[in-house]
Amino acid sequence: PSSNARANEEGVFVVSVEDKSPAKEAGLLAGDRLVEMSSPQFDISIVTMDDYTEAASRLSLASAIRLRIERSGRETYLLLDLNED
């Protein structure tokens, strides 16, 4: 989703988000913790970088994905539109 991530014992966190990317347009911010990535084709809990890599490898299967994130201690959902305009 045009973002960089890193993992530690607490999970996988967004390090940066590219300008004008679907992730930026959806409202993903540096510091957000990724919890889950899902679409009708897949549903992957994000605990490790391997989970993130697996989910990212499936992005081409979907036109949109739902991200469950944790920001400032609260969980929320973001919808990423992956359609090329």
Side-chain angles (χ1 to χ4, degrees):
S2 301
S3 62
N4 293 313
R6 67 172 169 79
N8 65 25
E9 64 280 352
E10 297 174 8
V12 178
F13 292 84
V14 176
V15 174
S16 64
V17 182
E18 293 179 22
D19 288 337
K20 299 181 183 178
S21 69
K24 183 77 159 190
E25 291 176 11
L28 192 65
L29 300 174
D32 289 345
R33 183 174 71 91
L34 300 175
V35 177
E36 182 180 72
M37 294 173 76
S38 61
S39 77
Q41 294 81 11
F42 63 89
D43 186 2
I44 300 175
S45 293
I46 309 295
V47 178
T48 67
M49 279 304 290
D50 287 342
D51 298 333
Y52 174 77
T53 301
E54 173 68 18
S57 74
R58 296 180 184 215
L59 293 179
S60 64
L61 301 174
S63 60
I65 61 167
R66 184 177 74 160
L67 285 181
R68 183 163 52 117
I69 64 164
E70 183 180 287
R71 179 183 293 156
S72 301
R74 303 180 83 175
E75 284 195 0
T76 192
Y77 292 89
L78 303 175
L79 183 64
L80 275 70
D81 181 358
L82 302 175
N83 288 319
E84 299 284 331
D85 290 328

